[in-house]
Amino acid sequence: MATNGNGNGGAVGQENINTDIVTLTRFFTEEQVKVPEATGDFTLLCHALQFSFKSIAYYIRRATLINLTGLAGSSNTTGDDQKKLDVIGNDVFVSAMKTSGKCRILVSEEEEEAIIFDEHPNARYAVVCDPIDGSSNLDAGVSVGTIFGIFKLPDDILGPGKKVTAQHVLSPGTEMVASGFTMYGASAQLVITMKNGGVNGFTLENSLGEFILTHPNMQLPPSRAIYSVNEGNSMYWDEWCNAYFHSLKHPGEGKKPYSARYIGSMVADAYRTLLYGGVFAYPADSKSPKGKLRILYECAPMAMIFENAGGKAVNSRMERLLAVNPEHIHDRSGVFLGSRDEVQKIIDTYNQYKK
């Protein structure tokens, strides 16, 4: 046997290779086994979701090379100019959900109405998504992401001849069976959680084409002196909101101010907050009285992740974000989410000013 200068085995012999890799596919399969009544439908739906994330990650990596950046020439239902990648991301999502055979209804930020897949009358799941969140940052190469939530439809609307409408997904986030997001940055990161379950993070290994479990059982630190908010909107904020952020920057004699970290892409800001702690905020204000972010496919999925990771999430009235019922599929809300103690400080400031 050939040896190196030290008399040891060559490079291959020395490399410590982990062969017990937990892929996303393996993770779903092992989770399914834990549920005796599982039919496998949820697992198959998640495989379809996984394919759409991989496809979007591929297109984003190649975006500049194949001229996918820039505007597509139309606006989506919420008035944002659509990027070419927005259109592609949405098409990928629609196609993946349609061909999965397990999705009955899909709500996308890019579609004015819910998409009903009547060709799959026995499909028991509803999916809500923002296919490419933060797309205004794409041309600058800033991280963007996909946010999604999954609802299980009631048995009495399953089957041929049964009518499914958008009303069937107008439920609070407490009704979701799973949620997550994928961030397309230096690498593609997928974070997913199940109802009342843990939060697990996966990284796309491009050479294998697989999401690998890299951040098992993610937990937020209870507090951290970091805040993330667009302070350019501060002139529109309520008095209590300005007072809260002022207190972070001017904590008093001998105390250190909080660090500000704002990317302007919800998925990227939320992912950093999830990893390091602190608070991410997008308050409702006089310019956007209801708030800016969409309850069904941005706020609720993120709220479920943060709660399951030990954090808190509330709206601009300090109501539990996961319990808010959207009035329509594109309804909006203010958002405060992050470490438990940091969000509690926000609630305390609000209550102090609202007495």
Side-chain angles (χ1 to χ4, degrees):
M1 176 181 171
T3 61
N4 61 17
N6 296 322
N8 299 323
V12 173
Q14 287 183 330
E15 188 176 355
N16 184 18
I17 298 174
N18 176 22
T19 55
D20 187 28
I21 295 170
V22 179
T23 64
L24 186 59
T25 303
R26 172 181 164 184
F27 177 81
F28 285 139
T29 304
E30 290 177 354
E31 287 299 306
Q32 181 186 321
V33 172
K34 297 175 186 176
V35 185
E37 68 273 18
T39 61
D41 285 5
F42 178 78
T43 302
L44 289 171
L45 178 70
C46 288
H47 289 332
L49 282 169
Q50 180 181 182
F51 175 75
S52 65
F53 303 147
K54 290 177 183 176
S55 300
I56 294 170
Y58 168 77
Y59 287 123
I60 285 175
R61 280 200 311 274
R62 298 197 63 212
T64 307
L65 290 173
I66 54 179
N67 194 30
L68 289 177
T69 54
L71 301 179
S74 60
S75 292
N76 66 10
T77 182
T78 48
D80 300 327
D81 288 332
Q82 277 186 302
K83 297 273 181 176
K84 293 176 186 175
L85 267 166
D86 276 356
V87 178
I88 291 168
N90 186 59
D91 289 349
V92 165
F93 232 92
V94 172
S95 177
M97 293 301 94
K98 182 177 182 178
T99 56
S100 74
K102 306 303 175 187
C103 177
R104 186 76 169 87
I105 178 171
L106 171 66
V107 172
S108 166
E109 186 195 19
E110 305 299 333
E111 301 281 351
E112 192 165 345
E113 305 291 339
I115 300 173
I116 316 293
F117 300 117
D118 284 328
E119 61 267 45
H120 302 302
N122 294 308
R124 65 180 69 241
Y125 291 102
V127 176
V128 296
C129 73
D130 185 351
I132 302 187
D133 179 77
S135 57
S136 61
N137 291 312
L138 272 170
D139 290 0
V142 175
S143 298
V144 297
T146 299
I147 310 172
F148 66 94
I150 304 172
F151 292 87
K152 190 173 183 180
L153 297 169
D155 289 342
D156 60 3
I157 63 167
L158 301 181
K162 298 292 178 68
K163 188 170 177 59
V164 177
T165 70
Q167 291 297 317
H168 290 112
V169 292
L170 290 183
S171 303
T174 49
E175 297 299 310
M176 287 188 300
V177 294
S179 78
F181 64 81
T182 306
M183 188 185 79
Y184 311 104
S187 56
Q189 308 282 342
L190 169 64
V191 174
I192 190 165
T193 189
M194 315 291 178
K195 188 172 187 175
N196 302 319
V199 178
N200 291 282
F202 298 78
T203 303
L204 183 60
E205 218 297 336
N206 290 316
S207 59
L208 295 174
E210 290 280 2
F211 278 103
I212 307 295
L213 180 63
T214 50
H215 297 74
N217 193 29
M218 300 175 79
Q219 284 288 307
L220 271 159
S223 64
R224 189 73 187 271
I226 301 172
Y227 73 97
S228 178
V229 69
N230 182 0
E231 296 201 65
N233 290 328
S234 60
M235 68 177 284
Y236 305 112
W237 291 346
D238 290 346
E239 183 186 5
W240 74 266
C241 192
N242 268 308
Y244 165 73
F245 286 108
H246 180 83
S247 73
L248 303 187
K249 292 178 285 187
H250 305 276
E253 194 68 38
K255 296 180 182 177
K256 284 183 67 176
Y258 277 48
S259 297
R261 299 282 186 273
Y262 186 67
I263 298 166
S265 173
M266 185 195 188
V267 167
D269 280 311
Y271 185 57
R272 185 200 55 249
T273 305
L274 187 63
L275 287 176
Y276 304 147
V279 64
F280 167 78
Y282 208 125
D285 55 35
S286 60
K287 190 177 59 170
S288 304
K290 287 205 80 171
K292 189 80 172 165
L293 300 178
R294 290 79 180 187
I295 297 169
L296 195 57
Y297 44 81
E298 291 178 323
C299 302
M302 282 296 185
M304 178 183 259
I305 290 165
F306 274 75
E307 283 199 8
N308 286 357
K312 294 182 86 162
V314 296
N315 66 8
S316 285
R317 294 189 297 277
M318 300 303 110
E319 297 163 335
R320 183 189 179 199
L321 198 50
L322 209 54
V324 174
N325 208 96
E327 295 175 10
H328 56 84
I329 60 173
H330 299 297
D331 200 6
R332 300 171 186 255
S333 173
V335 177
F336 297 88
L337 50 79
S339 296
R340 183 191 65 228
D341 296 349
E342 301 302 336
V343 176
Q344 188 58 50
K345 289 175 190 173
I346 297 169
I347 296 169
D348 293 344
T349 304
Y350 177 89
N351 289 336
Q352 181 185 334
Y353 274 78
K354 294 295 180 179
K355 278 180 181 175

